[in-house]
Amino acid sequence: MRIERVELRQVRLPYVAPFETSGWREETCHAIIVRLEADGVTAWGESPVGENPFYNEENYQTAWIIQQAYLTPMLMAADLSKPQEVTPAFARVRANRMAKSGLEFATWDLFGRRDGRSLAAMLGGTRDRVAVGVSVGIQKDIDTLLRVVGDYINAGYNRIKLKIRPGWDIEPTRAVRTAWPDIQLQVDANSIYHLEDAERLAQLDQFNLLLVEQPLGHDDIFDHAKLQPRLRTPICLDESIVSPEHARWAIEMHACGVINIKPSRIGGLADSVRVHDMAQAAGMPVWHGGMLETGIGRAANVALASLPNFKLPGDISANARYYARDIVRNPFTLNADSTLTVPTKPGSGVIVDEDVLDDVTVARWEKRA
Ligand code: NPG
């Protein structure tokens, strides 16, 4: 198949509440939405890039340039027989994985819609619902945190992730654990600590956490391997696992007990499946992270999380947790058992609301074959 038209849009959607981590605070989604056309089929993808390069090296401006100057021409030059051919077609471009992922995901959607196959079936999904939780950003004080967490629990989420940083770690975690002794709880440091903080991090062991996510440097598997034996709680790597090779290094070094998979961080769905399979072969569970995606990226995440080695609830909340007005007509809603239902329609199954999409678009670019 040859792609006949690529359209890229920068969108801006306000979050229902600002999202704050150890390293950044953002109030508005800055994603790039991808539209592909071929063989009379229209397909959609999303690069969930942020306003700033504070999670990884990319932001909406870098992705916009790399997609136009390199990735779109590379994609249009390929004659594709399957979506797995996109990742090798982009291989000469180093890193820039979030930029790649939106185009790669849209290609999966294109093949799925053309062939009448759901994305979950194409990827090897085995379940029809995926367990999900909520990631709770840093709040102004513990009373506010308890109110916010309580609202999510009342809404039906039974797994909570707390963002932590030095000065907002032990006490907020203790407060939530004391208020809800049985809830599935985990914490995420987004790379803010150092190996010298090992004793402080070990204090988190008392709270019966599912995992502590990315405590040390974003590109540092080595020191995580030194930290893991000093904690009882499994370390989960997020930022550090950017490719199947990085996953293999972390597994062989015993740097973590769990891997967070985000297809956008890994550069696409094909390599995400490889990370999933590699971890499964090593007996290591994975779970699905989130990048506050719009409804388009969210559908890909739900499909991927239906694979069998996704053993822990994902950061894939219902659309309404993020956006008052999303760009899809068929948002996910939370089931009573804290799950989302895996779409079965061809491709990702999203129905894009093009009126809303036009309203939130701030820049647009297209290339025709
Ligand atoms: O529910 O999508 C969600 C948010 C989950 O905490 C979450 N994402 O560090 O994992 C993270 C964080 C993030 C958000 C990372 C935006 C990068 C961008």
Side-chain angles (χ1 to χ4, degrees):
M1 170 162 29
R2 289 204 173 265
I3 310 287
E4 292 151 22
R5 179 168 175 267
V6 175
E7 180 182 321
L8 305 175
R9 293 172 181 240
Q10 286 182 34
V11 297
R12 299 275 192 283
L13 281 81
Y15 299 133
V16 292
F19 190 73
E20 183 164 348
T21 74
S22 64
W24 72 92
R25 175 188 165 91
E26 291 188 353
E27 300 190 356
T28 309
C29 164
H30 281 64
I32 296 176
I33 301 300
V34 176
R35 175 189 181 128
L36 299 182
E37 290 173 15
D39 296 353
V41 179
T42 296
W44 300 92
E46 172 175 353
S47 288
V49 277
E51 185 177 356
N52 302 296
F54 297 160
Y55 167 76
N56 69 2
E57 75 287 356
E58 297 183 78
N59 81 338
Y60 71 97
Q61 292 151 309
T62 66
W64 188 245
I65 290 171
I66 294 291
Q67 287 177 334
Q68 294 176 15
Y70 296 98
L71 302 176
T72 297
M74 286 172 166
L75 186 65
M76 293 184 101
D79 188 3
L80 300 166
S81 63
K82 53 179 196 275
Q84 286 89 341
E85 290 167 5
V86 175
T87 302
F90 289 162
R92 286 179 69 202
V93 175
R94 302 294 187 214
N96 290 285
R97 295 178 178 91
M98 296 201 287
K100 292 173 180 173
S101 70
L103 290 157
E104 199 248 12
F105 159 35
T107 308
W108 282 90
D109 189 39
L110 191 60
F111 275 84
R113 288 181 195 258
R114 188 196 67 177
D115 300 341
R117 295 189 69 202
S118 75
L119 185 55
M122 295 165 81
L123 295 170
T126 54
R127 33 172 106 86
D128 54 13
R129 291 170 170 218
V130 300
V132 301
V134 178
S135 173
V136 180
I138 290 170
Q139 306 294 317
K140 74 175 193 307
D141 54 36
I142 288 184
D143 284 348
T144 309
L145 175 69
L146 291 175
R147 187 168 42 72
V148 170
V149 170
D151 286 348
Y152 286 129
I153 290 174
N154 290 337
Y157 292 102
N158 62 18
R159 193 234 62 192
I160 298 292
K161 161 166 142 182
L162 303 179
K163 293 290 188 183
I164 59 167
R165 68 173 167 222
W168 180 268
D169 45 18
I170 310 301
E171 292 318 317
T173 309
R174 186 193 312 282
V176 172
R177 177 46 89 209
T178 304
W180 292 279
D182 301 323
I183 196 90
Q184 299 185 84
L185 187 62
Q186 62 193 57
V187 296
D188 183 4
N190 287 109
S191 310
I192 198 75
Y193 294 92
H194 303 280
L195 197 54
E196 299 77 60
D197 299 314
E199 272 176 38
R200 182 162 191 90
L201 290 165
Q203 289 181 47
L204 293 165
D205 282 341
Q206 64 189 300
F207 303 125
N208 184 26
L209 303 177
L210 292 173
L211 55 92
V212 50
E213 189 175 349
Q214 196 69 38
L216 309 182
H218 71 97
D219 56 355
D220 188 346
I221 296 175
F222 187 77
D223 274 356
H224 281 105
K226 292 189 179 174
L227 178 64
Q228 180 65 91
R230 300 177 65 179
L231 305 182
R232 265 188 290 121
T233 309
I235 290 175
C236 168
L237 290 180
D238 171 3
E239 282 90 329
S240 299
I241 307 298
V242 296
S243 73
E245 290 69 36
H246 289 74
R248 181 172 61 76
W249 299 333
I251 291 167
E252 289 186 10
M253 290 168 74
H254 304 285
C256 60
V258 190
I259 291 175
N260 164 326
I261 292 183
K262 291 175 183 167
S264 53
R265 186 196 70 226
I266 294 172
L269 292 162
D271 272 357
S272 298
V273 172
R274 290 175 61 208
V275 172
H276 166 275
D277 293 351
M278 197 182 288
Q280 186 170 35
M284 184 181 287
V286 302
W287 65 284
H288 206 298
M291 306 271 290
L292 308 157
E293 284 87 349
T294 76
I296 294 177
R298 192 160 304 284
N301 293 352
V302 172
L304 182 63
S306 72
L307 271 66
N309 195 39
F310 283 87
K311 295 269 173 62
L312 298 169
D315 279 349
I316 324 176
S317 315
N319 302 53
R321 175 255 179 276
Y322 308 91
Y323 304 108
R325 191 165 167 248
D326 206 330
I327 54 183
V328 296
R329 294 224 173 95
N330 51 345
F332 292 96
T333 53
L334 189 69
N335 299 318
D337 58 351
S338 194
T339 62
L340 300 184
T341 301
V342 180
T344 54
K345 294 267 178 355
S348 73
V350 294
I351 304 166
V352 173
D353 187 326
E354 297 202 37
D355 293 333
V356 177
L357 181 60
D358 284 345
D359 285 351
V360 299
T361 297
V362 297
R364 192 172 166 155
W365 177 87
E366 72 165 60
K367 187 172 169 64
R368 289 175 190 272

